[in-house]
Amino acid sequence: MISLFGWLLVFHILASIAVIGPAFVVPVIRRSARTVGQLRFAFDVTNKLAILPKIGGAVLIITGVWLMIITKMGLSQMWLNISILLSLLMVATIEGLIGPRMKKIMEIVSISQNKGDEVPSELGRLMKKIIPIETVSQLLMIAITVLMILKPF
């Protein structure tokens, strides 16, 4: 029979997949759109996927804290402290930098939908400005994942 620790670890890993998966896939879906219609569809799909990181994030926090309690690890491990710090930085990047820019882009898409199928130049410019921020967010996710798996220090 699997122990409580085993089940918590399984749910913790599944929750991390729910958070990381969409974060890597959503920018690819958005960047593949070539027309306003495709961009609108991409936003509809990505908005539906947005629930996964929210649920996964909550489960990730709950299981992570629970794992820290039952292993009596607390915040004594440097890799864990750095992972938590990078996670907070990642959330701030997504919610503080990417989120507001995406809202503006979605407004432009809504307005542009009635004007034809060509992507306005302003929209393309705004989308290109988000790419480096999304890349930073993805690199933070990779760093967090590596720290969680390898526990280097």
Side-chain angles (χ1 to χ4, degrees):
M1 178 172 254
I2 298 178
S3 65
L4 175 62
F5 176 83
W7 282 112
L8 286 173
L9 192 57
V10 166
F11 285 122
H12 192 70
I13 292 168
L14 290 174
S16 70
I17 292 168
V19 171
I20 293 171
F24 277 103
V25 171
V26 165
V28 173
I29 292 171
R30 248 187 280 134
R31 291 177 199 157
S32 67
R34 299 289 174 242
T35 65
V36 172
Q38 290 175 349
L39 201 51
R40 183 80 177 143
F41 178 75
F43 282 133
D44 288 343
V45 169
T46 57
N47 283 338
K48 288 176 182 156
L49 285 175
I51 190 72
L52 288 174
K54 290 179 176 125
I55 293 170
V59 172
L60 197 62
I61 291 167
I62 292 166
T63 56
V65 170
W66 202 347
L67 285 165
M68 287 169 43
I69 291 169
I70 65 172
T71 60
K72 296 180 176 77
M73 185 182 302
L75 296 172
S76 64
Q77 303 290 314
M78 185 58 74
W79 65 268
L80 182 58
N81 295 329
I82 293 172
S83 295
I84 292 169
L85 179 66
L86 292 178
S87 297
L88 292 172
L89 185 59
M90 182 186 67
V91 169
T93 301
I94 292 169
E95 295 300 322
L97 298 176
I98 296 172
R101 286 170 172 81
M102 287 311 302
K103 285 181 184 174
K104 184 174 183 177
I105 289 171
M106 288 169 59
E107 289 173 10
I108 294 171
V109 168
S110 295
I111 294 168
S112 300
Q113 194 168 9
N114 301 329
K115 296 180 181 177
D117 215 27
E118 189 175 320
V119 177
S121 61
E122 180 187 3
L123 189 58
R125 197 172 60 254
L126 289 172
M127 292 287 285
K128 286 180 183 175
K129 285 184 177 181
I130 287 181
I131 291 172
I133 303 168
E134 287 176 331
T135 302
V136 166
S137 178
Q138 291 169 329
L139 290 172
L140 284 169
M141 280 182 254
I142 290 169
I144 294 162
T145 303
V146 167
L147 285 170
M148 290 289 180
I149 293 169
L150 299 180
K151 301 172 178 70
F153 38 83

